[in-house]
Structure formats: structure tokens, C-alpha cells
Amino acid sequence: SFSQTVTITGKRMALYDIFNSISKQTGYEFVFDEKLLQNAGPVDINMKSAPLQQVLDKCLSNKPLSYNIIDKIIVISPKAAIKETSVAAEKPAATIQGTVTDSAGHALPNVSVQVKGTTRGALTDEKGHFSLQAESNEVLVFSYLGFQTKEITVGSNTNLSVTLLSSDQQLGTVVVTALGIKRSEKSITYATQQVSGVELTKAKDPNLINTLNGKVAGMSISPSSSGVGGSAKVILRGNKSGLGSNQALYVIDGVPMNNSLTSQPNSSYGGSGAYDGGDPISNLNPDDIESISVLKGASAAALYGSQGANGVILITTKGGKAGRTQVNFSSGLTLSQIAYKPKFQNSYGQTGGTGSNPQSWGDKISGGSADNLSSYFRTGTNLTNSISLSGGSEKMQTYFSYANTSANGIQPKNKLSRNNLNFKETGHFLNDKLTAEADVNYITQTIDNTPLSGFYFNPLTGLYLFPRGANLAQYKDKFEVMNPARRLMVQNWPFNEDVQQNPWWIVNRNPNSLERNRLLLNASLKYEVASWLNIQARGSIDRINDVYEQKIYAGTIATLAPANGVYVYSNTTTNQQYGDLLANFNIPVNEDIRITGILGGSVRDVITNGEKFNSGQEGLNIANKFLIQNFTSFNPLNSGTLQENHSQFQSVFGSANISYKDWVYLDLTARNDWSSNLAFTPSGSYFYPSVGLNLILSQMAKLPEAISFAKVRGSYAQVGNSPLAYQANPAQYTFSAGGTFSQSTAVPFTDLKPEKTTSLEFGTEWRFFNNRLSVDATYYKTNTKNQTLQIAASNATYYDSYFINAGNIQNQGVEAIVRYDVLSDTKLKWNTGLNFSTNQNRIKELAPGINSFTLSGASGSNYVSKFAVGGSFGDIYGSVLQRDEQGRIKIDADGKPIRQSGDLVFVGNANTKWQLGWNNNLSFKDFTLSFLIDGKFGGKVMSITQSMMDQYGVSEESGAARDAGGVKVNGVDPSGNAVTTVDAQKWYTTIGGREAASGEYMYNATTVRLREVALGYTVPVKNTFVKALRLSLTGRNLLYFYKKAPFDPELTMSTANGMSGVDIFMPPATRSYGLTLNATF
Amino acid sequence: CTKNFERYNTDNTGVTDDDLKADFKDLGTFLTRAQRSVINFSGGGDPNSYQLQQNLNADCYSGYFMSPNPFNGGQNNLSYFMMTGWNGETFKVGYLNIMASVNKLRVNGVDTAYPAVWAVAQILQVAGMSRVTDTYGPIPYSQAGSGKTGIAYDSQQDVYNRFFLELDSATTALRSFIGGSETLPFTFSTFDLVYNGDFTKWLQFANSLRLRLAMHLVKRDPATAQLQAEKALNPSEGGVITTNAGNMAVKVSGAGFSNPLVFIAKNWADIRIGASIQCYMTGYADPRIGRYFDKSTDESFPAQYKGIRIGSISGGSKDDYVGYSSLNYTDGNPAFSLTSPVQIMTAAEVYFLRAEAAVRNWANAGATAQSLYEQGINTSMEQWNVSVGSYVSDATSKPDAYTDPKNSANDAPAPSAITIKWDDAADINVKMERIITQKWIAMFPEGMEAWTEFRRTGYPKLFPVVNNNSGGLISTEVQIRRLPFPQNEYNTNAAEVNKAVQLLGNADNGGTRVWWDKAD
């Protein structure tokens, strides 16, 4: 499938020079082990305008070398020895047989097996088998593109079973870069990290991105607390934007994915509008993914424009392969349980013994240790079955897959079911000059009863706060009772508080559901105009339709619903259309210099349509009839046509990659975006450039033997970020209750400018001892300026807020990856890797006269997330106790601590200071074992759950304090006497609660855990029908080596910018165990 | 090609000035919004705004109400722990809802095209913003809306002077319209949620409002007080409200709107009757009591009229006190429902204001103090549709002592020994106590004006807070005098609010008196 021609003439030319010349003429890159070439000897050649394949055949014809062309990469590997003629063996060599598989147990065909120091060798067949002659003291070298080279001393074993580990660090690895272009890794001028599809399917999670947690340096993943199918917050190299998105961009096969979020809670109350229906990445079938590469910095993303400012996660999906048909079947079951429980006291009962007081400050009780949590939480299950078929001829390749996911969350009635259907077809036409590809994905997903975090509609408030010693079982058995006066069933719960209801009432009688239908279509046409130019056109449509419903039955607490109940319905469709046109060129300037590059343009258009209906406090005519026509009246504040949020981005871009002798690589990119969100502003478009430079030290100079590879790189980039729709042109009025209109309270922002992130990074890569040890380190610094900030205005201006462009948010940090093959020549093989990253975020400036900006506030919980000059993203402000000059807590005459009134004060920052992941892969015969330990160090988080449990007297601390006769404090009374003990009830009812002295509820966020363990066994099958069979046992989040907070600090209530580092009755994190079967036919 | 970008970047759910031109909605929208915002229910739906605008401060500080909800563990404004997040809503509503709406009418040319309608807007602005200055003291007024930042405050004296000038302009315009033959091209009653398009009644309200504001100044600036009061009562000005038909009460109509006080009492159960008004009304066996309050529903003691002491909820559960007497929306013949008009000023109040003018021997009071006092009581009884019986001649009934059936620590002796029957021989203090006490009972449930009058006169005598969590900033006996300036002003308008503290003359806290609260 290539037709370039090459002209080379010369006598006794070194292969190395020939390859260089071919490379320059064609743009193809060579991947080889230089030692092979040194032994290969010179070549006489005389080819004029000959096809590439013919040239390669010719110059390798008498050499012990073969080649393999994958995309634009030519891999040179040792050829299987045909005859043992050249070397007369003194001792007869034994016939060594064996099988080569990857770590998932798939047979690897075409692996080169070479006897070290000889020309003898073989290639594995379809089933991964090989056979060759070797002596017991000889060493076999196994090499294969994309896998780590392995050396094995033959020994007495004549039947070898060899597992090759995939490698994203090997010399010559191909990396998928911006716009789907594959490049050899050594030419990249910025930090990337590639993860194979295997990592995603090893221990599956309903949201595949969670399986990357801890595996990529500089990537922070916070799963949302919203049960199965919930979204995850993925941040690369720190938060950059106050109002805009900070999430990484997902790109599937070169096309940016629509990553619109479903609504996220932005207040401590949560409530029915704050459901999390999962992000678009969570919908994908992990089995369809070939590999993921993470482009961390802005340089990498320069070609994706504003969307890529926060880094890019490139996903390459599987396709059919010529000449091979394969059926893969995979089935996995995962069981999950809560990983920890809040700690309760069991010694003191309900205040007043019985009745409607919901607190537990009563008398001593015995037998209060009923395990209420176990009566509620259940074992979650996740059953995934997937099948894929792939195959094809040289002209046509087909890939088909279907997956079904059926998961039950740890909370009753929380359920996800998903179907993924994928069909991909690739065809080659017109003498293989034209390649057409189309990919259709259809996804249906239903999530029932997404747990809602916060105080409202959250079963956990009632569950946790339930008086100790009282009988909860009666409310589980009978969550509703007949109200004869109304002739309907109403809630059975003894307490009248907005923050709690009967947990089983909530799951049964306040149910929510989200149904998603998603169609993702991609098509591309690529035409090779000339040997140095091809033109590609791509288009994609990603259409996501969400229907959300919540049915709130009569009998629900009055604060949340009027007497007859509430019906909430919304139907939204987000449609993203993307198209681009690219010209890929490749110009050999002379022997040493080559220029490749792209010129292109793209259009992306995103529009949301839909409507919402919420009967709200106006209520329903007939109780419990959940229909829109049953609304008593229509309130435009709750119901109506949704904002379209129509945004269109038009771009032109270009890149040039100039290389000199495989020593020096220079990347230049430029892009200009026109954004509809900038309409009505003076700056309709924005331009941003990037430049990167790469030096391969190991090619420039002769380095000591121990150093196999050395590279230094540096890059500088600027990326613009478009403001949100309508910021420059907010509606003058919006519909309000009863046919009235409310006036916009934001001053129109007519001088709005796009946000700009400037990024600088330096990195270096070193490999030692024949690539056995590798080190990759990067320093980066990004500054995000022209932030669009919504600044509170004095109301006396007649506005609530206005927008400004200002600020400078700086992120700087270091990422390092170290890998080492500890054992590779023995039967037991072990490789280990460390990922380290640290990020420091600083808000350097905002605007003159403005030194703080509120991201998300929660009136009523004394928590606010703020931007302040000198502070950093994620700073938490809370309320604290009054202290005297000596730091002693002031205690009032009544014996209670005194809280400080006035504005909230800084109490901590939730961001992790540094992270370390330690990944290990071991294999022994047919067994493989991998485990990942990761730690996130530093940061502080707040637990409002704990403050509520303290106030209600149910927490272990509140019981222990009573046992000890009070809370030990360093306090002072109004007359200046020292106070050492405060009555437990007075202390906790003053500092605790939903409007707590929240500064008292900050916890160290450092967490070290055994994140993932996977044990695999490849069943040795001797069967022509089943080609490979593999079983694996996995566990996730198995053990916390260190965790001081009362919850898992990694969880987040919201995957948007706010509510980070605060726990308001989030469900506990889960621990899961899985069994997976993979079979290839 | 970016020719569609402006269309894409236009909110399809928005409404523009052009859209509002049809049917004079560019007039009606803003005028009705201002009417619904003096006591704010303009947002429809949940009355969160009203709860902080007035209910959890003035309504409780006036002795009318108390919340059974232990907000913030009982450490909140009701025990003088001033919650930062609770102190800005009164301010916010004043500017975003009232002044911004009135300003919009000016921008739309209503002031020149329809001066009578503009007069109504000005009256609403004075009615609304007087509550804002009475809450905080100095406020931005003359410079409001003049820029994005740095909006200067005016002293309270300057603000009041402006109010009187604005009322001058409004009443002049109204008298001219009423006496003239000009007609409006639209049906004004469509936009009038108070007087059904009757400009004469708006004129009477304007004069009554002038009388009310004048009386606020009597302690600090008696000359201006007398001048403005006599002007308000001068028949040539068009008269004041004399009958219940002239009461200023904003109708609750239209889907999504409800009386916010009733909503909070009924739907949220966040507000209950205060101990002070309960003790006065049970002590006097006031015939209005069964209309105002329902009986307690707490199972631990017999059903009775039982209020809650302010500042007595210090933690525990909302259920502890939620069964005490509520605003009456259920019992017998309830006076309140979710569609009850929102009452701002009544004829009864005007009679009591005139009685005070008569006691002070000011001109134009129109009758003797006694007859105005009794007419005030009678008009209120008529308003609530109860028989007055021998109430006005009751010379023995006195307010009750307070007992809390659940916690005797909250018990308190009767706040006052004042009786009902007028005694012309009594000294001015007794007369004032009688007038203000009866005015207070008649004005229920409008807590903002009741708190202002309590601060001005010291009457009625109210129970002090049980728990004072102000850290010594607010005296339990003197009681709270104002709300601190909103935190948002310190964040956004710091230089100016700091100057305002200078104008205030003392620290920015609840213990500092506003200008009219200090005898010169």
C-alpha cells in the first residue's frame, strides 16, 4: 500500500546511508538496531525511480535482514535464517521451539528471533510459534515493533514460552500525535506518554479513564462520587482556567471529541438538578481502544487550538488488519464494595431517648452498635461482555465490535446498562492511492438513580445521622406508610429536617434516571497526490441525546417538594460536527535536511438543543402522576426551552518539522482560530504559535557504551482559549415567573479577549544498558493570562457581576518516568516503573483592585472555593474559631467555643503537591502479575460529613469525647482563665453541623494506596479453533497504606471547577475485585 | 466565513428591549417588578430572597416572628451572631430589583412620556430604598448606577432629603394628572398590582409614605419631621390613606408567585410567631389573634397561642419548636394564604401616625389624639374583619408574661404594663407607648417598619434575645440597631464603604445606631 519511488546509486554504500537517503526521499522513517547494520556490510546499488519496496528488497537481498512497513515506518529486523551454511557449527545445535505472546496472552506473529552474534534467526508464525537451531550457551534475541526486546539464554530448555512486554519507551516507538499523525517517538519535541489498550482492559471500570489513574505522570484523575457511570475530572499539569474548562481534550482517531459535561453540583445542597450522567469518554468501550497517548503540554496541543490548551488525550481505536481474521471475546465480572466506613459511636443514644429529635446526645445505651451501613450498601457488580471481529484483505479491512456493560452500584437501585456497537471499514482504491475509512459507533446507556451528593435527595444523610441505638430496620422494611387522610402512601421517617429523609424512600420514591443515545460517525478520505504530498478530508458527527427524569413522590419532605410531588424532565441533544482538510507534505531538501509538515483547516460546530420541565413548588394536580400535563402551572424559571449554547470554531493551521541528519528536529506550528463566542468583541480571532527543538545526543556524538540513547528537548507554545458562549452578549432579559422578565445582572462584556496559555517545557530522555533502564524527565511552566473572570460587582452599580480579562495563573512542575527491567534473562521476569510528578499552582495576579474571585460557593456550608492573588487554584475558605493572641480558643461564659464572624478565611488547599506511581509487571511461565501502588501527597480537604456527624453526636469522636469527660482544648474563658476541657455536646454542636466552623474539619489529603493488582494466566491451548485463552484476576483500590481523611480525598463531588476537596455526604470510594476471560478465535 | 457568528452568539432564550416594546411590556415589566420587590417576591418560586431581605432580621427583631430552625447551630442573626451571608440581601434587592427597574423606566423614556406612571415608579423607589437606608444607615443613592466600581454612599440625612424631593416631584405629577385630562395609551391597571390603576390612591399612599418617613426623623431632626409631616397631612397635597380600601398591599397574582412570608411559614416551616407579639395579644385577648396566629401543634403541651423567644434556639432540632404557633394559614378563619396580598402600609398605621402628630401638637393631624388612636384600632379590626367589642375601652388587660412550656429558662416577665384604653392625662411617654404598641399590633406582619419604629421610639417593649452571640458588640437590652454593611461591598466597593463607615460615625456592626436613631 505504498508507491513512492526512490533513486539511489552508489558502490559500497553503508546501509545506514541508504536508509537515510530513502527516508529523505520518501518521508518514511526507519527503525532499527544500529548493531544489526554494523554487521550487515556495504551494498552496491543502482536504482532509478524504483518503487520503495523494490529498493528495499534489493539492498537487503543478501543481508540477514528483513523489513516490515507499518504506516510510514520501516522496521528493520533480523531475517530468519534459511540455511545454516555460513557457519559450520562445531557442536550440533539443538532445535529450539517456542511461542511468543504479549502480556495479554495474544500470540505475536512475525516476531524476529535471532541467535545473538550470528545470522541465524527465525520469524514467528501466525500462532506465535518459532523453531530454530541454537546451542545451550547461546542467547536468543526477541524483537518486535512496539515491544521491549528480550534476550534469553537457551539453556537446557528446548521449548520456550516467551512473553514480550509492550513498550512505549523503546527506541523507534511510533507515537500518535496531533491530528492523528504518527511519528517516531525520538522526533517529538515535547512530553508524551503512551498507554496501550491492555492497560484499559486489565481491570475494567465503568468509566475507562479511571483505569489510567496513577499510570501517567502529570495526570490527575478525580472520579466523581456519583456512582456507576459517573464522570471523572482529568487534569493535566494543573488547573489553568477559572471559568473555562480545565479538562483535557479527548481526540478519537484525530478528531476532537465533544466532551460536554452533564450538570454538576455547584452547591453543598446538590439537589435534583445536580445529577452526573457521565462524561462522553465514559461511554466508550475499552476493548475498542488500541492505544492512548497523552500529550501533556500546550505545545503538543497547539494544533488542536483552544480545546487543547489543557492537554490532549489521543485515542486510537482498533481497526481491521489485512490478511488476518480474528475473533476476540472478553467477559469480565467485577464486584465492588465500599472501601471504608465512617466511624460511629455506640455508647450514647438519641437525645430524649425517643421522639423526633434527630440527634444522639442522649443517655448511655448498650447494644448501640447496629451496623446501619451494611443494611443499606450492597455489593456492586459490573458485568462486561464484548466481542470483536476483525479481518480483511489488502484492499478492505473490517472491524466490528459489540459490548454490553451491566453494572449495579453500591447503593440500592443505582444501575447502569450500556450497549456499544462499533463498525469500522477501511478500503483502498485507485491503485491504493485513495484510502477511505468510515467508523460508526452507536451507544445506548441508561443510568438509574445516580447518587446525588450534597444535602438534598441524598440517602446517606439520613443513614449516617440516624440516632445511635434506634432501630433503623423498621424504616427499611416500611419506608412508606398509608396516610388515610390522603389515601396514599407517604414517607415513614421520624424527623422533619430538610437535610434528611428515609434513605429507602429516596431510592424508591425520589428516583432519577438518565437515558443516553449517542451516535458517533467518522469518515475520512485520503488521496496521495504525489510522493511528497497527500490530501486528507475528514468529517465527524457526534450526537448525544440525554433524557433525564426525576420523580419526586408525594410524602417527600416539604422543603424539597410540595404536597403532590414534583416531576422533573429534560431532554437535551448536543450535536458536534467537525470537518477538516489536511495537506501532508514531505520535502527532502537535500541529503541531510528534510521538511515534513501539514497545512490545513477545520470547522467545529457544537450546538445544544432541548427543553426542560420541572413542576417545582407549583406542584402537580394529581399526586404521583408524573406527566407534564399534570403540572398545576408553568413557571418559566423551571421549565422551558434550553439555551442553545451554539459555538462555532473555524481554524487554519500549519506545521513544519525540519530534521537534520536524525540529530536535530525542529517543530514549528501556527494556528489561527475564529470563534463565534468572540462575536460582538473587537477581537474576532486569535493566533498562536509553537516551536520545539530536539537534539538526539546519542546520534550526534559517540557516547559510552552504557548509554543506549540520549535526547534533550525543549518547546515553547502559546494556546488561546475561547470564552464561553454569550459571555460577550448576555441576554438582556430572560423569562421569569408569571410572564415577567428579569434583567441580566452581568454587565455585557464587549471588550472580551480570548484566554492565553503560554507554555515552556524542557525535557530529557536517557536509556542505559541496552535500553534496560530508561529515564525521562520534564520541567514545565505554563502561564495562563487574560482569564475571563466574572467579578462580583457592587449591587449599587445595578449589576451583580461583570467580566474582566485578567490574571496570571502559573503552573510549574516536574515529571519524571523511570523504568527498569529488573529481571529479563530469567524465567521470572520483572520490570518496574516509577511515575513522578509535581505541580505548583500560583495565582500571580488578577486585576488591579481585584484580588480575589469566587469559583464556587456554598451558602450555608461555610465552604467557598476562591481564587486569590498569592493563593492557588482550589484554595478552600472556611470559618474558624476565635482565638486570642496566644492562639487559645476563646470559650464563652456558657462554655462554648466562640466562632469568628465576618468573611471566610483560608483554611487549606485541596491540590495534591506531588504524586508517585509505582507500576510493576512480573511474569513466570504462563503467569503474569502486575501491581500498581500510587501515592498522592500533600493538600488538605474538608469533610462536612464529619462536621454533621459530630453535631448530631453520632461520630466516634463525639462518643470518645463524652467518655473522656469532654473535648480537650487549649482555650481561654472571658475572664482570661485557661480552659482545658469543653463539654462534648457544647463543643460539637457549636463547631459541627452543615454551617460548621469548617476550619476545624480540614484533613491531610495524602493517600497512598494499592491501586491495582492483576494476575493473569494464559491457558496453553492446543486447539485450532481457540488460538489463545487467558484468564485474569484483578483488584482495584485494594488497600490504603496511608489515608488520614475520613473519606477518599481523590473523589470529587463535581467534575467541573468547583466543589473540589470537600466531602458533603459523598458515597465512600469502592474496592473492587474482578475476573476476566479473554479468548481469541 | 464568520457571517453567522453574531447569530450563534446570541442567546435564543433571551428577550431584548425590542421584544418588550409590544403592548408596553417595556413599561409594565419594570413597574411590576419594582412593586413586587419592596417586599421581594419578584423572583417567583422560592422566597429565598425575602427570607434574608427581611424575614430573618426585621421580622424577628420587631417581635413578630422567630424561626424554629437552628440555623448554624443557633448561632445566627437571631442570636446576634451576624451571618456574613445573611446581611446583603436587603441591599441587593434595593439596587438590582428596585432602583435598576426604575432606572430602566427612565432609560425607556417613561419619565417624560408618562409623568404619572413615572411618579408611581418614584414612589416605589422611595418606599423600597427607605427600607434599605433604615437597615444600614448610609447607602449609595445619588450615585447609584453611575459606573462599574467606586459608587459613593450618601449620608442617611442626604438620602432622606432626596426621598422628600422625589416625593415632591411625584405628588406634583400625580395631582397634575388627576386634575387634568391627559389619557394614557395603555390600560394602567394592567401594570398596577396595588390600586388597580387608581392614581388618586397612589397619591394618598405617597402622602402617607411622606408622613411615615417624616416621623422616622423625629428624634434626630424634629424640625424636618414636623415640616414634612405637616406637609404630608396638608389637605392641599391630596390627602392620606383613610380607609382600608387605600391600603398599600401588592397583589400576588400570576403563575409562580406567592406571598413569601406565608410560603416560608407554610412550605418551609422556617418561621413561627415571636414571643413578644404573642404575649401582648394573649394578654389583651385581642380579637385579631385568631386571624393572625394558629394554635400550637406540639404534642407535648395543650394547643394554645404560643410564640418563641427570640434568640432562644441554640442548637437542637427544628422539630423542638416547629409546633409553636404559626402564622395562621390553617386554623378556623385564617387571615393568610399563599395568595394573600403583601402588605406594606395600612390605613390603621396612618391613623396612628396622625395620633402621634396630634400628641406632638403638629398641624393638620385632623382630629384629637384619642380619636385618631381609636380610629386606628377600629380600622385595623375592620381590616382583619373582626368585631372590636369593648377592646378600646379595656383599661385593665396587660401583656402576659412569657412561659416556654419546653424550657423554663426562656420564661420572662411581662414586657410592659401598658393597657389599651386611651388616657389623655397620661404623659407623652405613656401616650407614645400606647400608640406605638397598638400600631405595632395593627401593622402585623410587616416587620421592617415595626423594627424601625421600635428603634425610633423604644416601643413596644420587646423581649430581649435569650442568647446574645454578638461577642459584646450588640447590647442585649438596647437590642440590635442595624445590619452590618454587606460583605460584598467590602469586596467590591471597599473605598466607598469605608467612607460610609465614617458617615455612620461608629463601627460597622449591629450595635451602632443609624443617623435618625441618635437624639441630637
Side-chain angles (χ1 to χ4, degrees), chain A residues 637 643 650 733 794 796 902 995, chain B residues 1 11 17 72 84 104 145 489:
Chain A
L637 289 176
Q643 276 186 343
Q650 299 177 7
Y733 312 100
S794 164
E995 290 161 75
Chain B
C1 171
D11 184 348
D17 278 320
N72 199 28
T84 306
K104 196 73 201 176
E489 281 296 292

Side-chain angles (χ1 to χ4, degrees), chain A residues 356-359 494-497 558-559 562 605 617-618 633-637 641-650 674-680 684 724-743 745 747-748 751 791-800 802-803 849 862 866 892 894 896-903 951 989-990 992 994-996, chain B residues 1-2 4-18 20 25 29-30 32-33 36 42-46 69-73 75 81-84 86 88 91-93 95-96 99-101 103-104 106 108 125 140-141 143-149 151 153 253-257 263 266-269 314-320 322 467 469 471 473 487-489 491-493:
Chain A
S356 63
N357 191 312
Q359 302 196 346
F495 312 118
N496 173 25
E497 281 195 303
T559 315
D605 185 281
Q617 284 292 348
E618 285 71 38
S633 67
F634 178 92
N635 184 343
L637 289 176
T641 305
L642 291 172
Q643 276 186 343
E644 278 184 346
N645 278 318
H646 192 164
S647 298
Q648 192 175 88
F649 305 88
Q650 299 177 7
W674 290 263
S675 161
S676 66
N677 297 348
L678 286 169
F680 303 103
L724 305 176
Y726 313 143
Q727 272 177 346
N729 182 32
Q732 282 176 292
Y733 312 100
T734 50
F735 282 85
S736 182
T740 62
F741 310 95
S742 53
Q743 205 167 342
T745 55
V747 184
D751 49 356
I791 300 294
S794 164
N795 296 140
T797 62
Y798 300 160
Y799 289 102
D800 220 8
Y802 59 98
F803 292 100
N862 287 355
K866 252 192 209 179
D892 70 10
D894 208 20
K896 289 179 182 165
I898 303 173
R899 295 170 48 166
Q900 194 171 304
S901 58
D903 213 4
Q951 185 196 37
T989 53
T990 306
R994 61 172 131 161
E995 290 161 75
Chain B
C1 171
T2 60
N4 290 324
F5 275 14
E6 296 208 339
R7 185 162 57 81
Y8 297 160
N9 204 26
T10 299
D11 184 348
N12 61 314
T13 62
V15 176
T16 64
D17 278 320
D18 268 358
L20 291 183
K25 281 203 182 333
T29 295
F30 306 106
T32 54
R33 184 170 172 78
R36 289 188 176 108
S42 65
D46 295 351
N69 193 334
F71 292 108
N72 199 28
Q75 297 223 2
F81 181 87
M82 303 310 286
M83 303 273 285
T84 306
W86 287 17
F91 192 90
K92 184 173 178 176
V93 170
Y95 295 96
L96 296 191
M99 287 195 82
S101 299
N103 181 57
K104 196 73 201 176
R106 187 191 352 243
N108 290 351
Q125 175 164 312
Y141 197 63
Q143 300 300 309
S146 60
K148 270 191 197 176
T149 51
I151 311 289
Y153 283 60
S253 63
F257 291 114
F263 191 107
K266 185 178 178 178
N267 296 37
W268 289 349
S314 58
S317 159
K318 181 171 164 182
D319 274 349
D320 296 345
V322 82
N467 295 301
N469 292 321
L473 296 177
Q487 182 63 40
N488 192 47
E489 281 296 292
N491 296 348
T492 60
N493 199 19

Side-chain angles (χ1 to χ4, degrees), chain A residues 535-554:
Chain A
I535 289 178
Q536 184 176 18
R538 286 190 294 211
S540 111
I541 293 174
D542 188 353
R543 184 183 169 86
I544 300 176
N545 174 252
D546 282 336
V547 176
Y548 177 76
E549 268 191 312
Q550 190 180 20
K551 296 172 177 174
I552 302 170
Y553 282 68

Side-chain angles (χ1 to χ4, degrees), chain A residues 933-1000:
Chain A
I933 292 172
D934 82 51
K936 296 187 175 180
F937 300 87
K940 279 176 141 189
V941 291
M942 181 186 285
S943 177
I944 299 295
T945 311
Q946 185 68 36
S947 76
M948 291 282 279
M949 286 174 52
D950 280 354
Q951 185 196 37
Y952 279 67
V954 298
S955 66
E956 189 178 50
E957 287 79 356
S958 72
R962 274 173 277 184
D963 290 341
V967 179
K968 301 283 174 271
V969 296
N970 175 22
V972 57
D973 73 9
S975 28
N977 303 316
V979 177
T980 54
T981 308
V982 173
D983 175 72
Q985 182 169 2
K986 284 182 176 166
W987 175 263
Y988 285 118
T989 53
T990 306
I991 71 157
R994 61 172 131 161
E995 290 161 75
S998 45
E1000 298 294 313

Side-chain angles (χ1 to χ4, degrees), chain A residues 48-331:
Chain A
K48 290 207 169 85
S49 296
L52 176 62
Q53 216 162 0
Q54 202 179 319
V55 176
L56 288 168
D57 285 340
K58 168 76 180 161
C59 62
L60 298 181
S61 60
N62 293 317
K63 305 289 171 200
L65 299 172
S66 65
Y67 67 91
N68 198 359
I69 299 177
I70 296 158
D71 289 300
K72 300 213 85 173
I73 311 282
I74 301 167
V75 183
I76 305 297
S77 50
K79 193 191 287 180
I82 300 159
K83 271 179 192 161
E84 292 293 316
T85 51
S86 55
V87 182
E90 287 176 13
K91 280 182 271 179
T95 301
I96 310 293
Q97 292 185 329
T99 313
V100 183
T101 55
D102 65 11
S103 58
H106 299 127
L108 292 176
N110 300 320
V111 175
S112 128
V113 186
Q114 193 197 1
V115 182
K116 202 172 182 177
T118 74
T119 54
R120 276 172 288 146
L123 282 180
T124 56
D125 66 10
E126 280 277 304
K127 291 172 194 164
H129 290 315
F130 67 91
S131 163
L132 51 65
Q133 305 288 311
E135 288 168 44
S136 63
N137 64 347
E138 284 183 313
V139 175
L140 300 185
V141 181
F142 296 83
S143 53
Y144 188 53
L145 178 72
F147 288 80
Q148 295 174 17
T149 300
K150 186 163 268 190
E151 298 191 1
I152 293 177
T153 308
V154 175
S156 56
N157 196 347
T158 56
N159 196 348
L160 298 171
S161 178
V162 181
T163 305
L164 293 186
L165 297 173
S166 69
S167 161
D168 45 17
Q169 294 302 316
Q170 258 324 68
L171 176 67
T173 296
V174 179
V175 176
V176 180
T177 65
L179 302 162
I181 293 146
K182 289 177 181 155
R183 294 175 64 185
S184 81
E185 204 242 353
K186 67 176 178 184
S187 70
I188 307 283
T189 58
Y190 44 78
T192 64
Q193 200 169 341
Q194 195 147 16
V195 182
S196 77
V198 176
E199 290 292 333
L200 303 174
T201 52
K202 221 190 241 173
K204 279 182 197 167
D205 187 281
N207 187 346
L208 68 93
I209 204 72
N210 285 335
T211 53
L212 290 185
N213 211 337
K215 294 175 184 169
V216 179
M219 182 186 212
S220 148
I221 297 177
S222 307
S224 92
S225 59
S226 51
V228 289
S231 51
K233 177 152 125 182
V234 179
I235 306 290
L236 289 163
R237 293 185 175 172
N239 286 289
K240 299 175 186 73
S241 181
L243 273 187
S245 169
N246 282 298
Q247 298 247 30
L249 169 71
Y250 295 99
V251 173
I252 302 179
D253 294 329
V255 175
M257 188 175 80
N258 164 23
N259 197 30
S260 54
L261 294 174
T262 49
S263 63
Q264 295 287 329
N266 200 25
S267 108
S268 54
Y269 288 92
S272 63
Y275 59 91
D276 175 6
D279 40 7
I281 185 69
S282 69
N283 301 151
L284 302 186
N285 172 11
D287 285 301
D288 282 347
I289 293 172
E290 179 100 41
S291 70
I292 287 186
S293 61
V294 181
L295 315 185
K296 295 167 194 169
S299 313
L303 280 179
Y304 281 112
S306 51
Q307 279 189 300
N310 300 314
V312 181
I313 296 172
L314 294 168
I315 295 168
T316 307
T317 63
K318 289 178 182 164
K321 297 214 164 55
R324 265 206 293 167
T325 60
Q326 190 168 291
V327 179
N328 274 301
F329 175 74
S330 155
S331 179

Side-chain angles (χ1 to χ4, degrees), chain A residues 700-716:
Chain A
M700 294 170 77
K702 183 77 185 160
L703 297 176
E705 183 73 11
I707 299 172
S708 347
F709 179 75
K711 160 177 167 180
V712 291
R713 53 182 151 77
S715 68
Y716 168 87

